[in-house]
Amino acid sequence: NKLGVCSKEEFGKALQGYLGICHPNYPNFFWLLGPGTGLGTNTLIYMIECQADYAVDCIKKMVVNGARSVTVKTGVNEQFKAWSKETMKERVFSGRGSCDALYKNEDEDNWTLWPSDLVTYWWMTGRCCWAEFDKTY
């Protein structure tokens, strides 16, 4: 990453990234099927298409604006992380009911699955919000 820390040290037992696509410490890096974007009940192709569209939109904005690198802002990433964790509490794969979910780590974090519905993911990834990124010109 940009701080010289290996990803295993940085993430520990629960990988995390904004929309499962990017992270503040990884400039110009866009995951496809990144953390928190797995699905328990639907097709992953849909997620990949949303992520690819989002990454392409961000790259286009970089070119148009003359940015050499972009990273999602730390505050934006932290807000998303909090939303994701809170939303996941209401899902059977994480905390609701007595399901001892396969997807949870030993700290009871489910960092593998998308915590909401597909329409919400489509809406959130429909376009790259340029203001959510730190840029280097």
Side-chain angles (χ1 to χ4, degrees):
N1 73 15
K2 70 181 183 182
L3 304 174
V5 177
C6 77
S7 59
K8 185 172 182 166
E9 288 176 34
E10 179 167 12
F11 295 113
K13 300 174 190 169
L15 219 60
Q16 193 277 330
Y18 179 62
L19 299 171
I21 300 173
C22 45
H23 189 276
N25 292 335
Y26 294 83
N28 297 343
F29 179 80
F30 302 96
W31 270 302
L32 296 183
L33 287 184
T37 62
L39 298 173
T41 59
N42 218 313
T43 176
L44 291 173
I45 294 169
Y46 180 83
M47 300 299 273
I48 295 168
E49 289 173 345
C50 289
Q51 293 157 1
D53 288 345
Y54 184 88
V56 167
D57 188 47
C58 190
I59 293 166
K60 284 180 180 178
K61 287 176 177 166
M62 286 177 67
V63 171
V64 168
N65 290 285
R68 291 183 318 162
S69 72
V70 295
T71 54
V72 68
K73 292 179 178 180
T74 300
V76 171
N77 188 57
E78 290 302 315
Q79 285 177 340
F80 173 76
K81 188 174 167 181
W83 172 85
S84 183
K85 192 169 186 146
E86 189 62 31
T87 304
M88 186 56 82
K89 287 180 183 177
E90 294 300 314
R91 305 295 179 254
V92 70
F93 293 120
S94 186
R96 191 174 193 137
S98 60
C99 181
D100 190 19
L102 157 76
Y103 302 101
K104 293 191 281 189
N105 65 18
E106 58 267 18
D107 296 328
E108 298 293 308
D109 288 326
N110 181 340
W111 59 271
T112 60
L113 297 179
W114 173 246
S116 190
D117 59 86
L118 296 182
V119 173
T120 299
Y121 195 72
W122 171 78
W123 188 258
M124 292 173 84
T125 60
R127 64 187 173 97
C128 166
C129 180
W130 196 235
E132 293 179 339
F133 286 82
D134 288 323
K135 295 82 137 173
T136 303
Y137 293 94

